[in-house]
Amino acid sequence: MPTLAVTNFNIVLSVLGTWISLFGLVSYLCKENFYLSEALISLLAGVVVSPPAANLVRPLEYAAGSEENVEAITLYFSRLVLGVQLVLAGIQLPSRYLKKQWKPLSLLLGPIMGSMWIATSLLVWAMVPNLGFLHALVIGSCVTPTDPVLSNVIVKGKFADHNVPKDLQRIIIAESGANDGLGYPFLFFALYLIKYIGDGGVAEKGGAGLAMGLWFGETWGYTIILSIIYGAVVGWIAKELLHWAEDRKYVDRESFLVFALSLALFIVGTCGMIGSDDILACFIAGNVFTWDDWFRLETLDDSLQPTIDMLLNVSIFMWYGCVCPWGSFLHNGVIPLYRLVVLGILVLLFRRLPWVFAIHKFIPQIEETRQAIFVGFFGPVGVSAIFYLYITLEFLQTLEVDGEPREDIKDLGEIVNVVVWFLAICSIVVHGLSIPLGKLGFYLPRTLSRGITSPDGDDRDLAPPFSIGSRVANALIPGRPRSGRSSTTDLPSPVTEPATSNRTVYKIGGSIIPSAPPRAPESHQGVVNRETDGATDSRDTVEPGIDLETDGAQSPTPPGGPATRTIRFPDELPADTNGKSISST
């Protein structure tokens, strides 16, 4: 007898498949018409199916009832998504982009990123009660990198194509890809100091000197520099191998398209085993992999990579909606909710915007003040912040005495968890709604004004949506000079409202010819003038305003050769035999 198997695995697959299918049915409407990000929509879907709501997805049960296992799953899932995203981000950039644009990238990854770290840390230090500055530096470093997943809202799609210049899109992609991996030095600068001097050097010997030695040697040398070298070498080898296989027709199209994804998986796995910065290595490998622009151009119109990208984005943010500690925002022992809300607003306003605005004149891709405000505001906090959050919690578990957290950091884990999650949720919501709300604020006053001005829906008093201007008016008046200067003595009055005429207008060369213009006055040439005995037929008639000067069919061929035919446009004057203009009479 058949039995129901309502297992967690079957439930998760059913929920995920249902959501992806339903979202896919309206995805174009949401993303291209309403400018809503898939991250925000998927986060809300995750909230609906989370344990506090419908309880369809139960992360704690999947992790055998262990919070540490849930944290580990979230960390590894975030690593996977960031690795794939950053390889694809590196591939999106043109040939040798990091080499050509190293100056603006140095400003974005140096002074601006450092200012973001210090500014955020100061805000956290001011708003969280009883928090040391070193602890605030830890929280600030988690939310310093801009998120490449959420940045896709402003570098992909119809909004980006219509509003964001290509050069600006590329510098945003490069910055969000590089600074994700460069979050390690900011984070471990504070963590090493907390480890060796946080408790006055009681538990760990060595002091600040050993902390700085580990920071330079282990973080910069082994984590950052090694990952850059490793990513460049793996990316170059992968490029050469794919060239070799493609030249010999050893690789099929499907394997060719999926090669970048397999490269991301390989780097995330191998860098994870050696303990280096797999996030930065993925971005470097992706850029070196398409250093000659070959793979990028070959896959420019392909949809496999964006499809995998979309599936990962929808899944990760749905998972975040399920595992986010929503209850901790209201009930925690470290910071009240009103302080969290004020902190979120301050971080969104002062974390990035003032520093980008102050230095934007030195970044050639940011040409205008409004672009500086746009780039400064859109520095979202998302997957990378959650990744560094769990890196921090993993490090803090090593700072224990007799199996218990050290006294100086006993509340740090809870503070980091609550504050970083809240700032990430604020950024996902605010940056996900900024573009649709901005569009609504731009068009709504115009719509209301138009409705008030013309309540019956008659738009006749409004300006026409398309206007050719005086060129059409000139074209409809035979004998009018090409310069557009009007003559009030010998020309008829202009045709009224030519720009709103329903007749089709064709542009040939430098002149504009209407498809069916009204018959011209008899004083202007409108028929073929044949030098014959006066006989003409219907074939001699042409559109008014076009003069065809030719010898008649009955007249003999001139001695100089066959008859010539000249097409003259309505805004040109006829010429005599010497090529000089003859004024119209």
Side-chain angles (χ1 to χ4, degrees):
M1 181 176 179
T3 57
L4 294 178
V6 188
T7 62
N8 285 329
F9 180 75
N10 292 336
I11 293 174
V12 168
L13 291 184
S14 301
V15 170
L16 185 61
T18 300
W19 168 242
I20 293 177
S21 300
L22 292 177
F23 176 71
L25 294 176
V26 293
S27 57
Y28 185 87
L29 179 68
C30 292
K31 293 192 290 187
E32 302 297 338
N33 288 2
F34 297 146
Y35 303 104
L36 292 171
S37 69
E38 59 196 20
L40 173 61
I41 302 173
S42 299
L43 179 75
L44 297 178
V47 175
V48 171
V49 301
S50 65
N55 197 27
L56 293 175
V57 178
R58 300 179 283 271
L60 198 59
E61 290 187 16
Y62 313 149
S66 172
E67 287 286 352
E68 292 182 359
N69 290 342
V70 174
E71 294 173 0
I73 293 172
T74 307
L75 173 62
Y76 297 147
F77 196 2
S78 302
R79 277 183 58 201
L80 172 64
V81 172
L82 284 175
V84 174
Q85 283 278 358
L86 293 181
V87 167
L88 298 181
I91 290 174
Q92 291 176 37
L93 299 176
S95 174
R96 297 173 172 83
Y97 188 84
L98 298 182
K99 180 180 178 181
K100 295 176 182 177
Q101 301 296 333
W102 68 270
K103 289 184 179 179
L105 280 174
S106 299
L107 293 175
L108 292 169
L109 301 176
I112 290 181
M113 196 172 177
S115 300
M116 292 165 60
W117 176 45
I118 297 299
T120 307
S121 302
L122 289 173
L123 292 173
V124 172
W125 187 40
M127 295 304 301
V128 180
N130 305 317
L131 184 70
F133 185 65
L134 282 179
H135 297 178
L137 288 175
V138 172
I139 300 174
S141 63
C142 291
V143 298
T144 293
T146 56
D147 188 67
V149 181
L150 296 177
S151 296
N152 285 340
V153 179
I154 58 173
V155 298
K156 292 181 180 179
K158 185 170 70 174
F159 175 83
D161 295 338
H162 293 175
N163 299 277
V164 185
K166 281 293 182 184
D167 289 341
L168 193 57
Q169 293 180 29
R170 289 166 180 162
I171 200 68
I172 293 173
I173 293 173
E175 182 204 6
S176 63
N179 68 12
D180 268 22
L182 292 177
Y184 273 98
F186 299 100
L187 176 62
F188 279 91
F189 177 85
L191 289 179
Y192 281 141
L193 287 177
I194 289 174
K195 179 177 181 179
Y196 288 100
I197 68 173
D199 63 345
V202 175
E204 300 287 345
K205 305 299 181 181
L210 179 58
M212 290 298 96
L214 289 173
W215 185 63
F216 279 108
E218 192 170 308
T219 303
W220 279 104
Y222 190 80
T223 304
I224 300 299
I225 297 177
L226 177 62
S227 67
I228 293 175
I229 296 173
Y230 182 78
V233 171
V234 171
W236 184 84
I237 293 175
K239 174 177 69 71
E240 294 301 319
L241 287 176
L242 190 60
H243 268 295
W244 177 83
E246 176 68 14
D247 290 342
R248 289 161 177 78
K249 307 299 182 184
Y250 290 165
V251 58
D252 60 8
R253 184 63 181 174
E254 291 78 11
S255 300
F256 181 87
L257 297 176
V258 82
F259 200 83
L261 301 175
S262 62
L263 178 64
L265 299 178
F266 174 80
I267 294 175
V268 170
T270 53
C271 272
M273 287 190 290
I274 65 177
S276 189
D277 186 353
D278 48 357
I279 306 303
L280 184 59
C282 283
F283 177 69
I284 298 298
N287 195 255
V288 173
F289 182 62
T290 186
W291 196 253
D292 56 359
D293 235 11
W294 171 65
F295 186 82
R296 183 180 74 89
L297 297 177
E298 286 288 330
T299 58
L300 197 60
D301 298 325
D302 176 65
S303 60
L304 175 63
Q305 294 175 7
T307 302
I308 301 297
D309 183 32
M310 185 272 291
L311 290 174
L312 288 176
N313 293 346
V314 169
S315 303
I316 188 69
F317 282 100
M318 196 172 182
W319 176 259
Y320 285 168
C322 294
V323 302
C324 178
W326 300 102
S328 299
F329 300 154
L330 289 173
H331 308 289
N332 64 78
V334 291
I335 179 173
L337 180 60
Y338 76 92
R339 283 179 175 264
L340 272 176
V341 173
V342 174
L343 177 62
I345 296 172
L346 293 176
V347 168
L348 290 175
L349 292 177
F350 299 108
R351 163 177 165 264
R352 176 179 170 87
L353 178 56
W355 323 116
V356 173
F357 187 81
I359 206 171
H360 78 276
K361 293 183 179 179
F362 300 97
I363 302 175
Q365 288 82 0
I366 304 177
E367 299 175 349
E368 303 174 4
T369 301
R370 61 180 181 178
Q371 290 181 358
I373 297 175
F374 175 78
V375 175
F377 178 73
F378 273 95
V381 180
V383 179
S384 55
I386 305 303
F387 170 77
Y388 283 114
L389 161 65
Y390 289 112
I391 291 290
T392 301
L393 295 179
E394 190 177 64
F395 183 87
L396 292 179
Q397 292 174 2
T398 65
L399 305 181
E400 295 182 349
V401 178
D402 298 330
E404 295 293 330
R406 277 176 16 188
E407 185 65 24
D408 59 306
I409 62 167
K410 63 178 182 178
D411 295 328
L412 181 57
E414 183 181 7
I415 296 173
V416 173
N417 192 53
V418 172
V419 173
V420 173
W421 265 112
F422 186 81
L423 293 178
I425 296 300
C426 284
S427 179
I428 294 170
V429 173
V430 171
H431 290 116
L433 293 176
S434 294
I435 294 177
L437 290 179
K439 287 286 186 180
L440 180 64
F442 181 77
Y443 286 113
L444 185 60
R446 294 187 174 191
T447 305
L448 294 177
S449 175
R450 180 173 297 181
I452 294 172
T453 304
S454 181
D456 57 349
D458 190 358
D459 293 338
R460 286 177 298 178
D461 295 333
L462 301 176
F466 177 75
S467 175
I468 298 177
S470 61
R471 289 283 292 183
V472 176
N474 295 345
L476 298 179
I477 303 173
R480 188 153 188 161
R482 294 183 66 88
S483 63
R485 298 187 183 95
S486 59
S487 174
T488 59
T489 57
D490 56 352
L491 290 179
S493 60
V495 179
T496 59
E497 298 182 355
T500 58
S501 173
N502 292 327
R503 291 181 291 101
T504 306
V505 176
Y506 300 94
K507 185 175 186 297
I508 303 178
S511 302
I512 298 178
I513 302 177
S515 60
R519 182 175 298 277
E522 295 181 357
S523 59
H524 301 283
Q525 280 185 305
V527 297
V528 175
N529 298 322
R530 294 183 181 272
E531 297 176 357
T532 63
D533 56 359
T536 61
D537 57 24
S538 61
R539 291 175 299 174
D540 296 333
T541 304
V542 297
E543 294 181 354
I546 301 180
D547 298 336
L548 300 179
E549 295 180 355
T550 179
D551 292 329
Q554 307 296 332
S555 48
T557 303
T564 59
R565 175 172 296 179
T566 303
I567 298 177
R568 201 171 308 285
F569 296 101
D571 54 350
E572 295 177 341
L573 296 176
D576 61 10
T577 56
N578 296 324
K580 297 181 180 179
S581 298
I582 301 176
S583 59
S584 176
T585 58

